[in-house]
Amino acid sequence: MTRPSLLHPFAKPAADAASYLPIVRGDGARVWDAAGNEYVDALASLWYCQVGHGRDSIVDAIAAQARTLAAFHTFERFTNEPADRLADLLCDPAVAPMPDPRVFLTSGGSEAVDSAIKLARVAHFVAGDTTRTLVISRSPSYHGVTLGAVTLTGLPLNRAGFGPLVGDVTQVPWDDLDAVDEVLAHSGDRVAAIVAEPVVGAGGVLPPPPGYLEGLRRRCDDTGAFLIADEVICGFGRLGDWFASRRYGVEPDLATFAKGVTSGYQPVGGVFVGPAVRGRLEADPAFVLRHGHTYSGHPTACAAAIANVGILRDEDLAARADGIGARLAAGLATAAGDDLVVDVRGAGAVWAAELRAGVDAVAVRDEMLTLGVIARPLGAGVVAFCPPLVIGDAEIDRCVDAFGGAVRAVAARN
């Protein structure tokens, strides 16, 4: 047995090097492995490749920026044109999830979530509300893997073994406003923020019950807490609009993003900072925001984001999300037979199929690989689909056919 030098995330450290599948090339909604096998990328790599693989215009933008100014920090007095331009694009009223925001940039979603927690808490602090440190999150949910983000994450296995997590975080069931009310009844004057994915992603692909997000917004308004929308998976066209908050008609105070902002071509994330939060941070001219990352506003990464956002806008890719989702959902519901799939759920172009007890999702994923489709198992019983927004009908049908064949094959072995 040979173990690779690379310690893989969300993998078994004891796994043999031969068990890994090297992906070497991508084009549109398809990728190829080192042996030349072709796959439909049914999860947009890891929920992010909205515009598809192999976009020369993004690659050219990266190369041009790297030749001019590859990297420079944005701390204190320094800035760069790509970072400023990206922020301007994202704060456009036709794009942003709330009116009149500013953008704080990071390198990814976990950093963005940690930043949102800190921004919420410090905004209360500078306003003199120093006891507002409690954050309400939900279970199941997924918010990342840094210490703050994993504390918010409502997936027990992701938290196990990492020791003490961040304090003053409490979790409630993902769809239960009464549970939120119970926390607010006892600790409402201490709540800094409520954090929610508009559609729960890696926690099982769970769209919000009707009125739920509006209910969170009202409770924040009533108690003085901030509403944080985690848009890392939901943003940049995935749900048929620039952000899921816009789709559901709810304006958050803070909104995290990453993934689709560059379609994965470079690592960029960030936080939209709405008026209720930025107003407090801007109120004292002497206040210094002592938070940031080495690569916040990295010019080459921002150049990739600008090019990607341009493609999303110019090709109106968000308008394709609902059609992709409708075709995918209809196929998943019938592909394997009524007795093997117990639920098909999603919104826009992110969907999942829940399998009958005893049909293992990891085994289904592995069988799908042999049929030329890459999907993602969520736990033991759910298979998720989140394809590039450029996927064609024939490729969607190929995903559905592979799913149906894989589920039947796994069920037959049990």
Side-chain angles (χ1 to χ4, degrees), residues 47 137-143 152-155 172-176 195-209 212-213 216 230-234 238-239 244 248 345-347 350-352 378 382 384-386:
W47 317 88
S137 69
R138 306 182 302 159
S139 180
S141 62
Y142 181 85
H143 297 288
L152 296 182
T153 292
L155 296 173
V172 298
W174 72 278
D175 58 350
D176 189 346
V195 182
E197 301 165 274
V199 173
V200 175
V205 184
L206 302 167
Y212 177 84
L213 296 175
L216 291 184
D230 185 346
E231 295 264 13
V232 169
I233 287 176
C234 297
R238 178 54 56 188
L239 266 67
Y248 292 111
R345 57 182 180 259
V350 54
W351 285 80
L378 303 179
V382 176
F385 298 81
C386 180

Side-chain angles (χ1 to χ4, degrees), residues 65 69 80-87 105 297-300 302-303 306:
Q65 183 60 47
L69 178 68
N80 62 76
E81 189 273 340
D84 288 333
R85 185 177 166 203
L86 175 60
L105 292 172
H298 188 285
T300 302
C302 289
I306 292 165

Side-chain angles (χ1 to χ4, degrees), residues 84 95 120 129 189 202 208 222 308 314 329 333 355 359 394 414:
D84 288 333
V95 174
D129 213 347
D189 59 349
D222 291 344
N308 177 73
D314 295 345
L355 306 174
V359 180
N414 291 341

